[in-house]
Amino acid sequence: MDEARRRHYLEALGIELWRSRDASPVPVAGTADGTPPDPRGQPAPDVPPQRVAPAAGVTEPSPGEPDTAALDWPGLEARVAGCRACGLCEGRTRTVFGAGARDADWMIVGEAPGAEEDRRGEPFVGAAGKLLDRMLEAIGLARDRVFIANTLKCRPPGNRDPRPEELAACRPYLERQIALLAPRLLLVVGRVAAQALLASEHPLGRLRGRVHELPGHGIPVVVTYHPAYLLRSPEQKRQAWRDLLLARSASRG
């Protein structure tokens, strides 16, 4: 990505740019530890990944959950479209399977579809989706070169948080997507998705800032804020930028 376009996306994220007399702009929040930028005007290095062991107590799928182990991408998508494993099927307009490159190195996992996602059958559309696109562009990734999915494939009524039984019913679909994609990195956005994937009850603030491993897969996981939250709390965009740098570093490790 050329420097002018990169600057545009950083500015859209609310990341201030610092300019020396001799150097190109460098994002202030790009430093790994929050220290001021290098006075020589050089970009700060990527955050070195620090792996965290998988959480204990991962719940195995129950006998009543969908059997997805032998499904390929078309078969899995068809199974999701006809799913009636929980009560959310009664109120949905469309299932939201996921979208993007099915050979991507990065998989983005959110919480659940909203009203517009339910209407269109696509994840992360609307204002939150546009911000997610800018976040990815800021580190040189295009939306069509990642795969985006949610922990739930159907919208909870009133956009409430997913219930444990709903997450359990949908988990085999997400697990199969991860197995088929075999990504180099999972970027998990939002508290509900992070707690569900990492089998953790820790708040988002304690899950951020380090590299986890997905239980049962060993895939690096980085947690950050949901774009919808960043739209309400723009002061947290600096922290989200650091999470993105950490994710980029972990994916190269």
Side-chain angles (χ1 to χ4, degrees), residues 104 108 118-119 143 146 162 181 191 228 249:
I108 318 297
D118 173 73
R119 185 181 71 82
R143 181 186 175 103
V146 302
L181 187 66
R191 174 187 59 83
S249 179

Side-chain angles (χ1 to χ4, degrees), residues 56 151 176 219 232-233:
T151 56
R176 186 58 182 160
I219 299 170
R232 301 190 301 269
S233 304

Side-chain angles (χ1 to χ4, degrees), residues 121-152:
E122 298 178 23
F124 283 91
V125 296
K130 290 178 181 177
L131 179 55
L132 178 62
D133 292 351
R134 293 197 295 269
M135 291 168 67
L136 295 173
E137 289 277 6
I139 54 170
L141 286 174
R143 181 186 175 103
D144 62 2
R145 290 309 308 156
V146 302
F147 188 83
I148 305 174
N150 286 307
T151 56
L152 292 188

